Amino acid sequence: MKVHEYQAKGLFADYGVPVDKSILCKTPEEAVAAYKKLGVQRCVVKAQVHTGGRGKAGGVKLATNETEVRQYANAILGMNIKGFVVDRILIGEAVNIKAEYYVSIVIDRKSKGAILMLSREGGMDIEAVAKDTPEKIFKIAIDPAIGLTDFKAREAAFKLFDDMAQVKQAVPLFQKLYRLFVEKDASLAEINPLVLTQECELKAIDAKMTFDNNALYRHPDIFDMFEPTAEEQKEQEAKEKGFSYVNLGGEIGCMVNGAGLAMATMDMIKLYGGNPANFLDIGGSSNPQKIVEAMKLLLADQHVRVVLINIFGGITRCDDVAKGLIEAFKTLQTNLPIVIRLTGTNEKEGRELLKGTSFIVAETMSEAGRKAVEAAR
Ligand code: GDP
Ligand code: MN
């Protein structure tokens, strides 16, 4: 789950990570009022959207008087940045930048824990730095059992700074950021740029955080900030109905019982040259109501051209599943081809029941994959 810069900065402030003073605004009038309230000569006007690269898209402007604040607020509000329409802006006290650094804490699969990533080449082109000069990005693994110790934090600080005065500021800053990362179950806490001001202070002037969705139940304060996209909305609704659903954008809608089988089904579709529209695990029942709900979910996806139902009958018997499917499709209106593969307990009886229906019945997994891909063409 993503949050906006202003929300991440709020969390930074709660944990003592230094940030610039800023005020969230929804209109140009509010922006002007915020500018006056900050009482600074120069301020930044920044788009608040769930995507990076706002600076390059024209969503970050430096204003030096009221007229400019109004003008930039007007221009940025309503702007479309990578598909996100700006409905909020942040008015921040402009800082005098001496140098920009990159700092982040992220989960690293290789070391199976959090790592601190650092670079002296912070600012807007960190992706290019990572690609062209990866040696300029330092990674320090943090042992989850002991946390970010003083000596590790100092080792990290020396990667960025040569001056002891800055190292002394950076050490507690990294440790506070790590505490925030762990306590809120974040998957990313990024400062780009962390700036050294002309006054020799370290400040986070941008902040980005993402959180582990599986841990949101224990962070109601974070969950309150959830602004789902249309896709996430759908995934959330599916979750509430007891499904595990992920949209993947392909043309073959999948309805499968069991996560492992769902993964294997997606592989099979890929093998025959098709693309799964989604991952959907409907769990272990053949309840017609559940099948109807799952089908509705699939049919609401405009990309879906074929539905592939792959069911393994263990405790649930295949003939019951077949009955459930026939029952469910009485209430569903669709012209889409439906490929069904049933295997396990009473599979023959199940297939027998499906004979003479409009379902395309397959016996094996590969036959089902092949038939679904053919039907999609
Ligand atoms: P992003 O493009 O979405 O990552 O937005 P940032 O918040 O990182 O801003 C982009 C760039 O704008 C930064 O790298 C800075 O160079 C510049 N910038 C942001 N805030 C300030 C500020 O307060 N003063 C000055 N001089 N530049 C700023
Ligand atoms: Mn940035």
Side-chain angles (χ1 to χ4, degrees), residues 44 46 53-55 60 93-95 97 100 124 192-193 205-206:
V44 275
K46 306 177 79 174
R54 295 164 304 165
V60 179
E93 148 203 42
V95 295
I97 301 176
E100 303 192 16
M124 292 199 273
N192 186 31
I205 65 166
D206 191 7

Side-chain angles (χ1 to χ4, degrees), residues 94-258:
V95 295
N96 302 310
I97 301 176
K98 202 162 160 184
E100 303 192 16
Y101 304 88
Y102 176 90
V103 175
S104 71
I105 298 175
V106 63
I107 297 290
D108 174 49
R109 281 153 202 266
K110 216 156 133 197
S111 59
K112 302 188 183 88
I115 55 166
L116 192 54
M117 285 218 278
L118 310 141
S119 177
R120 293 188 184 218
E121 311 281 320
M124 292 199 273
D125 276 313
I126 194 68
E127 287 81 8
V129 176
K131 190 164 169 279
D132 304 331
T133 49
E135 70 280 4
K136 290 188 176 164
I137 296 183
F138 303 101
K139 293 179 184 174
I140 295 182
I142 304 168
D143 185 330
I146 54 173
L148 186 55
T149 53
D150 292 345
F151 80 90
K152 272 280 171 197
R154 262 197 302 273
E155 178 190 334
F158 277 114
K159 300 278 186 208
L160 294 188
F161 308 103
D162 302 315
D163 188 332
M164 207 52 208
Q166 274 106 59
V167 170
K168 278 187 180 155
Q169 287 182 62
V171 169
L173 191 155
F174 295 163
Q175 289 173 321
K176 285 167 183 166
L177 190 66
Y178 181 68
R179 222 187 96 218
L180 166 60
F181 179 89
V182 171
E183 287 186 4
K184 297 292 181 188
D185 289 306
S187 40
L188 170 78
E190 182 186 79
I191 311 177
N192 186 31
L194 171 71
V195 299
L196 174 62
T197 66
Q198 296 292 350
E199 299 76 26
C200 290
E201 278 179 325
L202 291 182
K203 251 185 205 167
I205 65 166
D206 191 7
K208 184 173 172 183
M209 289 196 77
T210 62
F211 299 89
D212 184 342
N213 289 19
N214 293 316
L216 287 176
Y217 72 94
R218 54 185 188 189
H219 302 291
D221 55 331
I222 305 293
F223 188 68
D224 276 349
M225 301 179 201
F226 190 29
E227 288 171 33
T229 59
E231 281 315 329
E232 286 169 333
Q233 186 76 48
K234 230 174 128 186
E235 292 178 5
Q236 188 62 30
E237 283 167 19
K239 202 171 177 180
E240 280 156 18
K241 287 183 181 135
F243 302 133
S244 154
Y245 170 87
V246 182
N247 187 289
L248 297 168
E251 68 284 347
I252 301 175
C254 304
M255 190 198 297
V256 188
N257 66 338

Side-chain angles (χ1 to χ4, degrees), residues 23-84:
I23 299 171
L24 183 74
C25 305
K26 291 193 168 158
T27 62
E29 292 67 42
E30 281 179 28
V32 171
Y35 173 65
K36 285 182 187 158
K37 190 165 176 210
L38 285 174
V40 291
Q41 207 258 314
R42 295 187 317 142
C43 78
V44 275
V45 184
K46 306 177 79 174
Q48 299 295 291
V49 277
H50 282 167
T51 181
R54 295 164 304 165
K56 283 187 180 163
V60 179
K61 295 277 185 213
L62 205 59
T64 54
N65 57 52
E66 223 179 283
T67 318
E68 281 180 5
V69 172
R70 190 182 298 277
Q71 180 194 333
Y72 293 140
N74 250 316
I76 294 173
L77 281 163
M79 187 183 265
N80 186 319
I81 302 178
K82 298 181 191 167
F84 295 90

